[in-house]
Amino acid sequence: MEQAGLYIHIPFCRSKCPYCAFVSSPCRDQAPPAIYLEALGKQLQDLSAHPWCQENIFATLFIGGGTPSIYSGKQLAKLVKQCLSGFSFVGNPEISVETNPNSVSVEKLTGLREAGINRLSIGVQSFSDHLLALVGRSHSSAEASRAIEHARQAGFDNINLDFIYGLPRQTAVDLRQTLDVAISHNPEHIALYEMTIEPDTPFAQLNENGKLNLPGHDEVAEMEAAAQEQLLAAGYGRYEISNYARPGNECRHNINYWQNGSYLGLGAGAVSCFDGFRVHNVADHLQYVHCVQQGIMPFHEGEALSVEASFRESVITGLRLTSGVSLARLLERYGLEPRKYYGKVIARFVEEDMLLFDNDMMRLTEKSLPVANQVLAELV
Ligand code: SF4
């Protein structure tokens, strides 16, 4: 039986970072609404009775946001319990929760650990205080270090730290120093994303006005190459374009996305994909709560994916993994073979040493990793 992933979206943060395009609203000093968790509980209950959910088994649960840790430990523990009792899970599910450094304490983290959460993701972004302030983060580097120490004290032995590179005014030296501090904390997993300027954000406006001072393309490429060298030397493996892990600590939930597996998404703005269908929930949390309370599925739009569209998605997401995508699996799922399907495009990439075929696997080469998005764009 195919194993699926369960995602729960918490669309609240203390404040809104000026570069962020995620579905999240600022709570400022207010408590996040309890009514949202009640709606989630009801959607969980409604969906757990759905035949697809009863026939499938879940391998991972990921509570992401937003900032899930904005809720109390007790509230999050209840949510995890509802998920675990409402759906069938494998014996050793990966259960992750995203946190921000200034919304966790040892007590809260101990409660989360006791509730069965076994993977903690902390949004550190940088260990440089001036860069954190520049990009509007509400925490300091000292708070980030403290959060990691608290997580260890609470018993977490699978910790991810999120970072962004290519920040305004950031240099390769800044990034090196940040990763030095990160490595000194010995996390099991490090996610390193390139800064992207999302439309309709304050950063997009600043960038348009030439006031953002982003590092140039070459500097960003230099940062990425240096970061890879630094992390590989520290014993991390680069298993996805933006993700590094100690062997055995790769994120199972995200691997399921990259392998284009099935997943169920609950909460405002969450997406589900199974049996060739993709469904988007409404992004507005008030509308989401209203729909669930009225007994209406909170769906905003759905699409039926053709075999070819699913095949292309599997190729594109699968190539993000450095191990690549299995040709036998593509053939089995879709009856299609990439070399035949894409013809000259793939032949050119192979000739230019951007793609390679290695037994059953097709993958990006070292040379193409820094320009992976350009390669993938031609395979959409
Ligand atoms: S903490 Fe994360 S989700 Fe929240 S506003 Fe900042 S970037 Fe967005």
Side-chain angles (χ1 to χ4, degrees):
M1 188 194 286
E2 198 191 343
Q3 296 184 354
L6 178 60
Y7 176 78
I8 310 276
H9 192 74
I10 303 295
F12 307 108
C13 294
R14 280 267 158 261
S15 54
K16 185 82 181 171
C17 303
Y19 56 86
C20 176
F22 291 122
V23 174
S24 79
S25 306
C27 286
R28 311 216 182 275
D29 295 329
Q30 307 275 313
I35 200 168
Y36 181 77
L37 290 184
E38 284 162 27
L40 269 178
K42 182 162 184 324
Q43 202 199 359
L44 268 164
Q45 212 174 15
D46 293 347
L47 281 174
S48 63
H50 189 281
W52 187 88
C53 296
Q54 296 196 336
E55 282 160 17
N56 280 273
I57 187 154
F58 291 84
T60 61
L61 165 63
F62 195 106
I63 304 178
T67 306
S69 55
I70 198 165
Y71 281 106
S72 72
K74 233 179 174 170
Q75 287 171 310
L76 290 172
K78 183 176 171 196
L79 183 60
V80 171
K81 202 169 158 199
Q82 286 171 315
C83 293
L84 295 180
S85 58
F87 298 91
S88 298
F89 277 86
V90 295
N92 61 338
E94 176 190 88
I95 306 180
S96 308
V97 67
E98 288 185 329
T99 61
N100 260 346
N102 54 3
S103 59
V104 284
S105 61
V106 186
E107 295 72 36
K108 186 187 252 187
L109 291 169
T110 304
L112 298 186
R113 188 70 196 90
E114 284 169 3
I117 293 164
N118 50 26
R119 183 174 184 275
L120 197 74
S121 181
I122 307 177
V124 177
Q125 316 312 351
S126 170
F127 275 110
S128 156
D129 280 323
H130 79 276
L131 288 179
L132 286 172
L134 209 63
V135 298
R137 298 291 300 188
S138 59
H139 67 267
S140 66
S141 61
E143 281 175 312
S145 290
R146 219 167 17 246
I148 300 165
E149 285 156 22
H150 287 170
R152 291 294 188 211
Q153 283 170 34
F156 281 96
D157 59 5
N158 193 359
I159 297 178
N160 166 60
L161 304 182
D162 274 342
F163 294 97
I164 308 176
Y165 70 99
L167 297 167
R169 296 184 194 276
Q170 189 179 33
T171 64
V173 174
D174 283 321
L175 182 61
R176 169 161 283 278
Q177 287 169 348
T178 274
L179 292 181
D180 275 340
V181 182
I183 292 164
S184 73
H185 285 292
N186 200 19
E188 284 69 30
H189 192 285
I190 290 180
L192 185 61
Y193 295 100
E194 182 179 341
M195 169 119 248
T196 49
I197 301 302
E198 302 290 344
D200 304 323
T201 58
F203 265 26
Q205 189 65 52
L206 284 173
N207 197 35
E208 214 174 287
N209 298 339
K211 291 186 177 155
L212 206 50
N213 292 309
L214 289 170
H217 184 266
D218 289 351
E219 281 171 278
V220 173
E222 193 191 319
M223 284 183 210
E224 186 195 341
Q228 166 169 299
E229 205 183 308
Q230 192 178 357
L231 291 172
L232 295 188
Y236 293 90
R238 187 179 190 180
Y239 72 100
E240 194 267 347
I241 293 173
S242 309
N243 285 274
Y244 296 79
R246 297 248 182 249
N249 290 108
E250 296 82 6
C251 177
R252 286 159 58 193
H253 186 82
N254 286 339
I255 287 176
N256 181 52
Y257 288 140
W258 295 315
Q259 291 180 337
N260 209 4
S262 299
Y263 50 89
L264 191 65
L266 277 77
V271 180
S272 304
C273 193
F274 53 87
D275 289 348
F277 287 98
R278 180 175 297 127
V279 184
H280 298 254
N281 285 355
V282 292
D284 183 296
H285 66 266
L286 294 174
Q287 207 185 339
Y288 170 81
V289 170
H290 177 75
C291 286
V292 176
Q293 282 175 339
Q294 299 302 309
I296 306 164
M297 278 296 172
F299 299 152
H300 163 60
E301 61 178 14
E303 50 182 327
L305 300 167
S306 69
V307 171
E308 288 195 25
S310 292
F311 165 76
R312 289 194 301 268
E313 282 190 5
S314 290
V315 168
I316 293 158
T317 53
L319 283 175
R320 292 193 62 89
L321 291 163
T322 52
S323 57
V325 56
S326 159
L327 301 174
R329 180 132 167 77
L330 289 175
L331 203 58
E332 187 197 356
R333 281 180 86 178
Y334 309 108
L336 294 167
E337 207 281 341
R339 277 169 290 206
K340 283 194 193 133
Y341 184 82
Y342 289 104
K344 284 180 185 162
V345 181
I346 292 251
R348 174 166 53 82
F349 281 141
V350 171
E351 208 177 290
E352 292 170 352
D353 188 27
M354 303 297 257
L355 258 186
L356 65 82
F357 288 81
D358 182 6
N359 294 317
D360 177 45
M361 304 303 284
M362 171 175 76
R363 58 184 162 85
L364 297 177
T365 60
E366 273 291 315
K367 182 181 164 191
S368 65
L369 277 179
V371 289
N373 287 340
Q374 289 164 36
V375 175
L376 300 180
E378 290 202 46
L379 303 174
V380 171

